[in-house]
Each structure stands twice: as C-alpha cells, then as structure tokens.
Amino acid sequence: MAVTRTFSIIKPDATRRNLTGAVTKMLEEAGLRVVASKRIQMTREQAEGFYGVHRERPFFNDLVEFMISGPVVVQVLEGEDAVTRNRDVMGATNPANAEPGTIRKELAESIEANTVHGSDSEENAKIEIDFFFKPEEIVG
Ligand code: RTP
Ligand code: MG
C-alpha cells in the first residue's frame, strides 16, 4: 500500500476541551504522521467554502456556526493508505455508532461536535490540503 496524505481538522469541541494532544496521539498511534499543522480561527467564508458540498443539507448552517465557534487545528497526515487509515481511527460520524477505540467513540460529544474531520477520498484530500496549506508548509 502506498504512502499517501490526507487532511484532518481537530474541531472546536476538541480545542475547547484541550484535547488536541489526545487526538494527535490517537492519530499517531494509528500509524499516521503529522507533516503539517496549524491552529487557526476559521472565518465564516472559509467554513462555508470548505463545507460547500453540504450547502443544501439541513445541518449546513449549524455546522458552519459550530466550525467557527472556536479555534481548530488543521493538519496534513501522511501514512500508508492515509485516507482510509484516518477514517478508521476517526470512527462513525455519529459517536453513538462509532466503534470502541475510535476518536469519536472515546472523545466526541455529539454528531455535530464530533471532534475530527477527515477527507473521504484521495481526490478530496488534495483539494482540502490545498484549501488550507501552501506546499512549503508541508514537510514530509
Ligand atoms: P467529516 O466530513 O467531518 O469528516 O465527517 P463525516 O464525513 O463523517 O460526515 P459528513 O456526512 O461529511 O458530514 C460533515 C459533518 O457535518 C456534521 N453533521 N451533522 N446534524 C447532523 O445530522 C449532521 N450530520 C453531519 C458532522 O459534524 C459531520 O462531521
Ligand atoms: Mg465528510
């Protein structure tokens, strides 16, 4: 399996509870390497752009409000089959349905305040990495 990259966000519920280290530890223990990381306050425009595919979904406005409710940590993760590996350690979108040992089962508060985002395909990973990072900010 090839070494690839994915994009991750540690969401505001996690930064609020001082869990950025706990989340990163779980990502690293899953075999992912943090090759770029920065703590940012997302603007409304950034959040709406980032979640543009969900614009017509009923939860879109709440999701945008949540994502700008506090700082987030955006990261590029590298590892073998990084997209799938990250989705596996994140667990199901709704923490009630997530497997024990996953980030969302162990740490998430609700389907909205679910602690992490992770790209759902390599194609989207590239788009999402480019949305937040310049090439020189990523050091593999
Ligand atoms: P993510 O994109 O954040 O990694 O999560 P995901 O693929 O598991 O979930 P997705 O369907 O892409 O939804 C994006 C985010 O929207 C929020 N959401 N809220 N209230 C709801 O019914 C609802 N459904 C989704 C979650 O924060 C989810 O992570
Ligand atoms: Mg998604």
Side-chain angles (χ1 to χ4, degrees):
M1 200 58 83
V3 172
T4 55
R5 288 176 175 174
T6 191
F7 174 75
S8 170
I9 304 177
I10 302 176
K11 293 185 177 184
D13 65 287
T15 61
R16 189 177 296 122
R17 290 177 290 151
N18 206 20
L19 293 175
T20 65
V23 171
T24 302
K25 184 165 188 276
M26 292 177 81
L27 296 171
E28 290 177 340
E29 284 174 351
L32 294 160
R33 182 178 297 270
V34 181
V35 295
S37 183
K38 57 186 174 187
R39 181 175 168 106
I40 62 168
Q41 172 63 53
M42 242 192 248
T43 64
R44 184 177 299 278
E45 291 66 34
Q46 275 178 315
E48 287 177 352
F50 182 76
Y51 280 118
V53 294
H54 293 314
R55 197 171 289 275
E56 305 306 324
R57 307 276 284 274
F59 58 81
F60 177 75
N61 286 325
D62 286 345
L63 177 59
V64 168
E65 290 298 335
F66 169 63
M67 291 301 289
I68 65 174
S69 68
V72 300
V73 178
V74 291
Q75 297 178 317
V76 181
L77 308 176
E78 198 173 81
E80 283 191 14
D81 201 9
V83 170
T84 303
R85 197 174 276 256
N86 185 40
R87 299 288 293 187
D88 287 349
V89 71
M90 288 164 59
T93 307
N94 186 344
N97 302 329
E99 295 293 327
T102 61
I103 293 169
R104 284 166 167 169
K105 183 65 171 189
E106 303 305 327
L107 301 177
E109 296 183 313
S110 66
I111 190 170
E112 177 174 83
N114 64 358
T115 308
V116 279
H117 162 85
S119 308
D120 58 14
S121 67
E122 281 191 37
E123 186 187 1
N124 282 335
K126 286 194 177 66
I127 293 168
E128 294 176 359
I129 289 168
D130 287 346
F131 194 89
F132 285 103
F133 288 97
K134 301 191 188 90
E136 63 269 27
E137 291 179 306
I138 305 166
V139 183

